[in-house]
Amino acid sequence: MSRSQPAIIVHGGAVSRHSYSLSAWRASVEDAARAGWAVLEKSGGTALDAVEAAIRSMESNPVCNAGIGSCLTSDGRVEMDAIIMNGSNLDVGAVACVNSVENPVTLARKVMEKTDHVLLVGEGANQFAAAEQTGIPTVSKETLITEQRKSELEKFRQFRKAVKADFNVQIDGGGHDTVGAVALDSSGNLAAGTSTGGITGKLPGRVGDVPIVGCGVYADNSIGAASTTGHGESIAKVTLARQALWFVEAGRSPDEAAKDALDGMLSRVRGRGGIIIISKDARIGFNCSTDDMAWAYCNAREGLKSGTNCHSSK
Ligand code: GLY
């Protein structure tokens, strides 16, 4: 069997203005990349395990809009979406509108591995989380809500009263800082995952791009793997993750593919966001069409690299 050069890249979301300090945001993605790399460094460490570990780290960090510290719905509740995809066989699992676990990515993985389904939503997904066979601890809804997100919802409400904004406009303190990870392991297997609390002030029951295959993620060992962030409705319209991988398949570098897919989304539906990609031959790429996107990646050649925008060269 041929060996691959393992690599992991993570994002902490693409935003116009982040509501936490840039250093805390950067630390959150560095911690996540380290958690994923620790898996890949071990003999037999898989891309799926690395992606799950990286995303769990960000879901458990209140700085990130996923798990603890998720954005709130218009009526002040948490409803989280997550997905994970295995590039070796195209298996995928996802959950939407869940509110009973700290780590929705692990629940998504259980959907993939323990059910015949791709996506569970709402009450059914929460019931599945509580079922004994998942082994996932459930948490109270209040555990997931932070003071920061409450104050962002308040700001959002004031802003919406004064200005008829659409969800594509970034509001002071609001954020689309979804989290995601993409990994390649030494066996040449790729995986990708994405997790989010969605958008501040979203209608109850709103599901964004994240748990939709080809939008929040795509992974195929014969091409590459991608995770996206940004305005969910726009991402869903252009199937952003799959679009980026079509560009990789057509011969563009991962950096070019990310940029071209984002440019296409901006010109076609006026949506902004970010993408991280690893190609099947271990090239890493990323780009964003917002002011900022926290990212970090790690491989044996370069070690850990990170940043909070896409304007500096890698
Ligand atoms: N991209 C995350 C969301 O819009 O829900």
Side-chain angles (χ1 to χ4, degrees):
M1 185 172 50
S2 68
R3 309 294 295 170
S4 289
Q5 292 296 324
I8 183 155
I9 181 166
V10 309
H11 68 74
V15 296
S16 284
R17 196 182 317 162
H18 196 263
S19 50
Y20 286 87
S21 77
L22 287 181
S23 59
W25 196 29
R26 186 169 183 166
S28 73
V29 289
E30 289 181 345
D31 287 348
R34 279 192 205 98
W37 184 247
V39 172
L40 293 174
E41 270 190 319
K42 279 191 269 177
S43 165
T46 68
L48 263 183
D49 285 345
V51 162
E52 184 183 354
I55 293 180
R56 284 177 64 94
S57 164
M58 292 183 281
E59 287 174 334
S60 296
N61 187 334
V63 167
C64 303
N65 171 24
I68 295 175
S70 286
C71 286
L72 301 179
T73 58
S74 57
D75 58 356
R77 292 180 298 110
V78 164
E79 291 184 349
M80 303 172 291
D81 304 336
I83 189 166
I84 192 163
M85 185 162 185
N86 181 347
S88 70
N89 55 10
L90 308 190
D91 274 358
V92 61
V95 291
C97 284
V98 295
N99 61 12
S100 62
V101 295
E102 180 175 325
N103 298 113
V105 71
T106 296
L107 188 58
R109 185 164 177 183
K110 296 289 183 194
V111 171
M112 179 173 80
E113 293 177 344
K114 290 191 175 285
T115 79
D116 296 329
H117 309 305
V118 161
L119 171 63
L120 293 181
V121 307
E123 225 21 69
N126 287 322
Q127 279 168 16
F128 175 66
E132 263 173 46
Q133 81 239 32
T134 67
I136 300 176
T138 53
V139 297
S140 72
K141 300 178 182 78
E142 292 69 38
T143 308
L144 303 168
I145 297 178
T146 61
E147 289 305 315
Q148 171 80 19
R149 298 302 181 198
K150 282 189 197 166
S151 109
E152 286 172 9
L153 180 60
E154 249 348 281
K155 279 188 195 154
F156 172 83
R157 284 176 174 147
Q158 285 161 17
F159 184 83
R160 292 275 291 183
K161 265 186 213 146
V163 182
K164 192 171 177 223
D166 73 40
F167 278 135
N168 208 22
V169 175
Q170 295 287 332
I171 297 157
D172 182 24
H176 298 174
D177 34 351
T178 295
V179 306
V182 173
L184 172 68
D185 63 32
S186 59
S187 302
N189 290 317
L190 285 151
T194 308
S195 181
T196 190
I199 294 177
T200 300
K202 66 185 181 179
L203 289 177
R206 177 262 191 189
V207 175
D209 60 298
V210 166
I212 305 173
V213 184
C215 301
V217 298
Y218 204 75
D220 183 339
N221 280 7
S222 67
I223 310 167
S227 167
T228 65
T229 164
H231 181 242
E233 282 71 7
S234 301
I235 292 170
K237 287 175 191 170
V238 301
T239 58
L240 188 65
R242 192 66 186 90
Q243 179 63 59
L245 292 186
W246 271 315
F247 287 145
V248 173
E249 204 169 8
R252 293 179 215 186
S253 72
D255 275 335
E256 288 165 348
K259 181 169 187 334
D260 291 350
L262 290 165
D263 285 351
M265 183 166 81
L266 188 57
S267 69
R268 198 75 179 84
V269 298
R270 293 180 52 245
R272 292 181 188 273
I275 312 178
I276 55 174
I277 300 174
I278 300 179
S279 61
K280 66 177 180 181
D281 55 0
R283 286 172 298 151
I284 293 172
F286 62 89
N287 210 296
C288 64
S289 51
T290 52
D291 292 337
D292 297 325
M293 181 176 82
W295 56 269
Y297 70 85
C298 199
N299 59 24
R301 190 168 56 85
E302 295 172 276
L304 179 69
K305 302 271 185 203
S306 68
T308 53
N309 63 52
C310 307
H311 314 308
S312 53
S313 63
K314 283 195 277 174

